[in-house]
Amino acid sequence: NAGVTQTPKFRVLKTGQSMTLLCAQDMNHEYMYWYRQDPGMGLRLIHYSVGEGTTAKGEVPDGYNVSRLKKQNFLLGLESAAPSQTSVYFCASSYPAGGSNEQFFGPGTRLTVL
Amino acid sequence: GEDVEQSLFLSVREGDSSVINCTYTDSSSTYLYWYKQEPGAGLQLLTYIFSNMDMKQDQRLTVLLNKKDKHLSLRIADTQTGDSAIYFCAESTPFKTGANNLFFGTGTRLTVIP
């Protein structure tokens, strides 16, 4: 199993450009999440999904959109990138219930917006 | 959002014990987690504790939870150079949909001196 993978690993954008970050998981998890990690701060939840075709807002959703067209994929879109969106983005997935509700994380995407 | 606080840095000598502390604010947390992040990598779950437990031991790792003071600690016995990383404390409260809402601390950078 590859676990949680993210594409791309690095990206540099100019202000106003758009892009989509792709997250894929092969563990048949129902729940998927997008976080951002900024220096000196913990991870903050952007959006999450509890199943195919569903999405919901997290703590910092503004400026981002998401889609979950297939169970194994969760896409994060930036329609008009801003320098404040320079960050490291992590995707995670988890089982619906039971055990530790552990979230499994991808390796991250480092995004710079100039 | 909830507040989860950690000290930013900790240095220990190889072979000594490390203790990383965390305080949180949400008394309704169900699980509390410790994640490890190595340079350029995603977060890896180290251990977790359910909110109705006081202590959990897992090989070199001991987690102590003081629910009254909302204080969580991670003790690493016989610290090795491979333990050098950033350690994140996270508290979890479930969304109504069942997904897990994780709030992370800022992370503690542990440096192990040979």
Side-chain angles (χ1 to χ4, degrees):
Chain A
N1 286 352
V4 180
T5 58
Q6 293 183 231
T7 311
K9 288 186 168 39
F10 303 93
R11 186 72 186 268
V12 179
L13 290 178
K14 293 182 180 177
T15 296
Q17 287 185 316
S18 63
M19 79 162 294
T20 300
L21 282 67
L22 171 64
C23 175
Q25 52 94 6
D26 60 3
M27 297 174 283
N28 202 33
H29 286 173
E30 287 295 331
Y31 297 166
M32 296 186 75
Y33 311 80
W34 275 108
Y35 294 89
R36 60 178 288 173
Q37 183 182 30
D38 299 302
M41 301 182 73
L43 279 73
R44 292 181 292 167
L45 183 65
I46 304 171
H47 285 281
Y48 68 99
S49 167
V50 298
E52 184 178 317
T54 75
T55 63
K57 293 180 180 179
E59 185 185 352
V60 289
D62 294 342
Y64 305 95
N65 56 74
V66 287
S67 63
R68 184 99 180 265
L69 299 178
K70 293 183 179 180
K71 185 177 181 178
Q72 63 268 34
N73 295 338
F74 195 28
L75 278 63
L76 178 71
L78 286 74
E79 289 183 350
S80 179
S84 61
Q85 293 177 304
T86 293
S87 189
V88 181
Y89 291 86
F90 288 100
C91 175
S93 69
S94 69
Y95 285 114
S100 66
N101 285 340
E102 176 185 357
Q103 290 187 19
F104 294 81
F105 283 82
T109 294
R110 186 175 293 274
L111 175 66
T112 302
V113 183
L114 303 174
Chain B
E2 309 305 332
D3 267 339
V4 180
E5 295 191 356
Q6 304 176 236
S7 53
L8 291 179
F9 302 99
L10 176 66
S11 291
V12 298
R13 294 210 173 271
E14 191 174 14
D16 288 350
S17 292
S18 309
V19 179
I20 303 171
N21 293 302
C22 169
T23 57
Y24 61 97
T25 57
D26 187 359
S27 58
S28 65
S29 297
T30 52
Y31 289 98
L32 294 126
Y33 303 89
W34 284 104
Y35 279 88
K36 177 182 180 182
Q37 184 181 33
E38 299 189 21
L43 278 69
Q44 174 193 2
L45 181 68
L46 273 183
T47 187
Y48 67 95
I49 188 166
F50 192 51
S51 58
N52 67 355
M53 297 169 64
D54 301 328
M55 184 181 93
K56 181 178 180 183
Q57 188 142 7
D58 186 359
Q59 299 183 342
R60 292 191 297 125
L61 306 178
T62 303
V63 179
L64 294 178
L65 175 60
N66 181 328
K67 207 173 173 187
K68 175 175 167 288
D69 294 339
K70 299 191 183 70
H71 182 267
L72 183 73
S73 68
L74 173 69
R75 179 176 180 269
I76 306 173
D78 187 24
T79 313
Q80 303 297 308
T81 54
D83 294 323
S84 292
I86 300 176
Y87 291 81
F88 289 93
C89 164
E91 61 167 344
S92 163
T93 51
F95 289 114
K96 288 180 183 175
T97 52
N100 230 5
N101 193 10
L102 286 186
F103 290 98
F104 287 84
T106 54
T108 299
R109 184 180 294 274
L110 173 65
T111 302
V112 181
I113 304 163

